[in-house]
Amino acid sequence: MKIAIPPLLLLAGLTAAQPATLLATEVAIPADRGAQQDAASNDFSYLRYRADYQVLANAHSVKTESYEILLKTKAAIEKFGQIRLGYSEKMETLEVVSAYTLTADGQRHDVAPDRIYTQESYSSASAPLYADRKVRVIVFSNLAPGARIVYQVRQTQKVPYFPGYFGLWETFSVFDQFEDAEVSLQAPAKLPMNIFTRGVKGGDQPQIRDGQAHWRWQYQRSVPMKAQNWAAGSWTFSPTIMASTYREWPQLAKAYQLKASQAAKVTPGVQALADRITAGVTDRREQAAAIYRWVAQNIRYVAVYLGNGGLEPNSAQSILDNHYGDCKDHVVLLEALLAAKGIESSPVLIGMDEGPILPKVPLLGRFNHAITYLPEFKLYLDSTNPWARFGQLPAGDLGAPVLLTREARLARTPSNDELRNRNALSVDFVFDKAGNMRGQTERRLSEVEEIDLRGYFSQLNQQNRARAEESIMTSSGIDGRGQVAMHGDPLDLDKPFGFSFRFKADDYVDFGVVGGMRVPNPPGGKSFRTLYTSTAAPSNETPFYCDAQRYDETYRLQLPADVPIIAMPKGQRFRNAAGDYRVEWRRDGQQVIVNHRLQMNAVRGKDALCQPQDYPAFRELFQQVRRGFRGQLVYGELANAVVSPK
């Protein structure tokens, strides 16, 4: 996972229009054979898995998969009691050949025909690029711990996603148990096939028989790896098989552009709208910004089937007529409106939340989203996110390898580094003689935070505001009350947005005795003081994401004039390969100022994963952070203290 501060329940009851978290995002994992979010589990075992791929000369293909899965616990029954199988209804067929349950005593229960059905208008919210996806559902009966589910499915690729393209991607998660797994591939010997394997038996070179090339791979793992605190996408380290008829990534870009280029035609309606949006605006960058804002805030994002299937977007005019579309449609309309003003743009294929590296062979499955690139301004835009200002990108789009389809070349979005992910916090605590506290938290939002918080605050209203403010205080652990003050309009993408939080708490501290006080948790703010909880394990066996990040927290504690300040900690600093942490304490009369700063490093560079051997440095760094936040301000009349006898 990404190194992240545990999420803060800031606005209970509110739901952002775009998926977002308030503190950090975790990277989504490409679909693995048996892995979901890298969660280790021995609740079940793949007793037998077979995948057979038959590829024709025109790249049409048939995949037949067979599963036998032992369900050991109730959790496994919840996971596998209903199997969901996605496919493109316009380009593929999916047939359930057989499906049944084998109980622990050997009885067979076939799945009834009406328990195998198709859900219409289904698409995966995590893969909006593939907007015509349907799902075939198998509901198993007579399940109990010790039962097995057995099923076979056949998926036929009637039309390749791109001319001449075939892709195979099988990943066996190290967190799952496989007793017997085998994958086979057959294709015409003359059909180019680029192969990459890791951790499986069977090589890259085929056996040739009767003009057909044959590959066969086996895998077995009886003891799954235990869950790891930090893990990148499972395909980056688990046993994997990849095959593609494309040799280079630009081939995918060219193929997509052939389908998408005609959709961005500038019609009279598109031209009229572009002129209206930019009326009175002569600066070309400002014209582009105005068009982007219009698309982001007026074209409703809908991840449903709209076009002719697969990856072909709808025409710009039809998107304009409907005022909704998926990610491909957003890109097409934005491209057409910009073209109407003579501003060039390119569609961009991106793996949203998929990390900084690409597979060894070109596979379409690595990309799940489409955004826009403006070469004139060297800017990437994602108009599916209605909360990002012109030039901003949500966290999932940052630091990602991408395909610019118009130019047919690989590129990379701006890094999710300390420049875009800098977290700054300024908090005032003022105490009176009775020990009551009042104060204010000011958050200087990073680009990533601003995007996320616009979505939440846009839904703040008179009905839910009090509940949201109560949840902020509750999440800080302080028994008090508070009030949100927004700085700017979350719906106004012309201007920056931020907020502050004013708070009060009665009887927070007793100044009538000698005592010590740590810096309180900041209501409405996120503190990096809890990072150490993510490194509880002494070691980490998998690669992980480690973007550069910077945190800066300043606390000012104002004590009453007649309360003696006895002592405060010395400043300290710690540096290692993972980063740099420092804390400084100073006194100005009755005010004590504490500053905590943390710089976290992308240890192996912004385009690479951190490795297991890098984990101890982060663990050591975060333990130093923990110690630094333990520092206490000592106050009170020593005359009121009782000296313990020796």
Side-chain angles (χ1 to χ4, degrees):
M1 63 176 67
K2 280 190 176 180
I3 299 169
I5 301 176
L8 170 68
L9 181 61
L10 180 57
L11 298 179
L14 301 185
T15 304
Q18 285 290 110
T21 56
L22 292 175
L23 295 188
T25 55
E26 293 190 357
V27 172
I29 304 165
D32 307 328
R33 189 63 53 215
Q36 292 189 3
Q37 298 300 316
D38 283 326
S41 171
N42 203 24
D43 293 329
F44 59 91
S45 172
Y46 291 93
L47 298 181
R48 186 176 186 273
Y49 171 69
R50 293 292 185 270
D52 177 68
Y53 293 81
Q54 301 285 328
V55 185
L56 303 179
N58 58 4
H60 294 220
S61 61
V62 178
K63 176 175 67 173
T64 303
E65 291 183 293
S66 301
Y67 293 83
E68 182 176 351
I69 306 171
L70 173 63
L71 310 183
K72 304 178 183 180
T73 65
K74 289 184 178 180
I77 293 171
E78 290 295 321
K79 181 181 179 70
F80 291 102
Q82 181 173 284
I83 300 294
R84 300 168 62 87
L85 306 165
Y87 67 101
S88 167
E89 68 167 357
K90 293 293 181 180
M91 310 186 79
E92 300 165 331
T93 62
L94 192 146
E95 174 192 3
V96 178
V97 179
S98 63
Y100 56 91
T101 300
L102 279 179
T103 61
D105 59 2
Q107 296 185 49
R108 171 170 169 160
H109 298 271
D110 290 317
V111 176
D114 64 349
R115 297 292 82 194
I116 302 174
Y117 57 90
T118 300
Q119 288 187 341
E120 302 294 335
S121 301
Y122 171 84
S123 65
S124 170
S126 67
L129 187 64
Y130 310 94
D132 71 328
R133 304 289 292 181
K134 301 299 179 185
V135 65
R136 192 80 166 147
V137 182
I138 309 172
V139 182
F140 290 89
S141 63
N142 301 90
L143 296 180
R148 306 179 184 189
I149 63 169
V150 183
Y151 64 99
Q152 183 180 81
V153 295
R154 182 176 297 117
Q155 190 165 344
T156 301
Q157 190 79 41
K158 300 182 297 182
V159 181
Y161 279 102
F162 297 135
Y165 173 77
F166 165 80
L168 178 159
W169 192 350
E170 297 271 352
T171 293
F172 300 97
S173 172
V174 296
F175 301 111
D176 288 331
Q177 181 177 352
F178 289 87
E179 297 297 343
D180 177 15
E182 184 174 291
V183 176
S184 58
L185 169 63
Q186 177 181 327
K190 294 182 179 180
L191 186 68
M193 193 68 70
N194 301 286
I195 304 290
F196 171 79
T197 62
R198 177 182 58 233
V200 296
K201 294 181 180 179
D204 297 349
Q205 297 302 315
Q207 293 184 358
I208 307 297
R209 298 192 300 270
D210 300 325
Q212 294 288 305
H214 299 263
W215 293 263
R216 191 175 302 276
W217 301 277
Q218 293 87 31
Y219 174 72
Q220 188 268 342
R221 185 185 184 105
S222 296
V223 180
M225 182 183 289
K226 294 181 179 179
Q228 302 297 301
N229 279 359
W230 297 350
S234 185
W235 69 268
T236 64
F237 55 85
S238 290
T240 295
I241 304 166
M242 299 177 183
S244 173
T245 53
Y246 283 6
R247 181 176 296 277
E248 299 176 343
W249 290 99
Q251 288 178 266
L252 284 175
K254 292 176 182 178
Y256 180 87
Q257 187 65 23
L258 283 175
K259 285 195 171 187
S261 58
Q262 296 303 313
K265 181 179 178 181
V266 179
T267 64
V270 169
Q271 185 67 58
L273 177 60
D275 292 340
R276 185 165 69 251
I277 293 171
T278 60
V281 180
T282 57
D283 182 81
R284 289 173 58 81
R285 186 185 177 96
E286 289 303 315
Q287 287 180 340
I291 290 171
Y292 161 77
R293 287 191 294 269
W294 189 93
V295 173
Q297 296 188 317
N298 289 278
I299 301 301
R300 183 163 51 97
Y301 174 76
V302 181
V304 297
Y305 166 64
L306 296 174
N308 295 325
L311 302 178
E312 186 174 350
N314 291 278
S315 69
Q317 186 60 54
S318 67
I319 301 161
L320 185 57
D321 292 341
N322 291 319
H323 267 60
Y324 62 80
D326 63 7
C327 62
K328 305 185 302 293
D329 298 330
H330 267 256
V331 169
V332 161
L333 181 57
L334 186 56
E335 182 180 2
L337 289 169
L338 290 168
K341 305 306 296 182
I343 301 172
E344 182 180 308
S345 66
S346 173
V348 177
L349 299 183
I350 182 173
M352 180 175 59
D353 283 324
E354 297 289 357
I357 63 175
L358 289 174
K360 298 292 186 181
V361 298
L363 288 167
L364 183 57
R366 179 57 177 80
F367 300 113
N368 60 13
H369 191 35
I371 61 175
T372 300
Y373 179 65
L374 275 58
E376 182 175 346
F377 311 114
K378 294 181 173 58
L379 285 179
Y380 290 88
L381 308 174
D382 187 346
S383 62
T384 67
N385 189 308
W387 315 113
R389 287 191 285 142
F390 183 70
Q392 290 182 336
L393 288 175
D397 290 347
L398 291 171
V402 297
L403 273 176
L404 305 183
T405 66
R406 181 182 292 273
E407 302 176 28
R409 67 177 177 90
L410 283 169
R412 189 172 292 274
T413 57
S415 298
N416 189 10
D417 56 18
E418 63 270 27
L419 298 178
R420 292 173 178 81
N421 204 12
R422 180 174 183 173
N423 304 274
L425 194 64
S426 178
V427 190
D428 287 282
F429 298 100
V430 180
F431 301 91
D432 63 21
K433 180 64 175 176
N436 303 316
M437 177 181 70
R438 60 182 173 84
Q440 177 169 292
T441 299
E442 291 277 355
R443 286 178 66 175
R444 295 189 293 276
L445 301 181
S446 67
E447 290 186 10
V448 171
E449 288 181 310
E450 181 184 339
I451 293 169
D452 288 349
L453 289 171
R454 279 181 186 270
Y456 284 90
F457 280 110
S458 68
Q459 299 176 70
L460 199 65
N461 55 46
Q462 292 182 350
Q463 285 72 37
N464 59 29
R465 188 182 190 105
R467 183 183 176 191
E469 291 169 343
E470 289 173 4
S471 73
I472 292 175
M473 290 302 301
T474 300
S475 65
S476 71
I478 297 175
D479 183 13
R481 56 200 180 278
Q483 184 177 21
V484 169
M486 287 187 280
H487 307 313
D489 183 352
L491 299 177
D492 185 359
L493 296 186
D494 282 327
K495 299 176 182 177
F497 173 77
F499 81 99
S500 58
F501 189 74
R502 294 187 290 272
F503 54 87
K504 294 181 180 180
D506 297 332
D507 196 25
Y508 182 81
V509 62
D510 184 0
F511 288 124
V513 298
V514 174
M517 178 172 55
R518 294 181 182 180
V519 175
N521 282 321
K526 63 170 187 177
S527 174
F528 65 87
R529 66 184 69 194
T530 56
L531 278 175
Y532 72 91
T533 61
S534 68
T535 54
S539 62
N540 198 84
E541 297 181 44
T542 56
F544 55 92
Y545 303 110
C546 53
D547 295 326
Q549 299 180 54
R550 183 179 299 171
Y551 300 91
D552 192 330
E553 301 179 11
T554 299
Y555 301 90
R556 288 173 290 274
L557 291 79
Q558 183 71 46
L559 271 63
D562 54 354
V563 173
I565 297 176
I566 299 173
M568 60 185 187
K570 292 182 178 180
Q572 65 181 71
R573 183 177 185 182
F574 176 81
R575 284 192 293 181
N576 68 5
D580 186 338
Y581 167 65
R582 66 182 71 187
V583 55
E584 297 174 353
W585 291 72
R586 64 184 178 89
R587 179 177 176 182
D588 184 4
Q590 286 298 99
Q591 186 179 72
V592 174
I593 300 97
V594 188
N595 178 248
H596 292 267
R597 281 173 287 175
L598 175 65
Q599 169 69 48
M600 287 161 49
N601 299 331
V603 175
R604 296 176 181 268
K606 60 185 180 181
D607 302 339
L609 299 177
C610 279
Q611 298 300 312
Q613 58 267 34
D614 301 320
Y615 175 82
F618 284 98
R619 189 168 192 261
E620 185 181 20
L621 177 66
F622 292 174
Q623 290 301 320
Q624 293 296 326
V625 169
R626 182 186 190 184
R627 295 188 183 103
F629 273 98
R630 285 173 173 166
Q632 296 189 30
L633 173 65
V634 183
Y635 55 83
E637 291 283 357
L638 288 175
N640 296 334
V642 176
V643 178
S644 177
K646 294 183 180 179

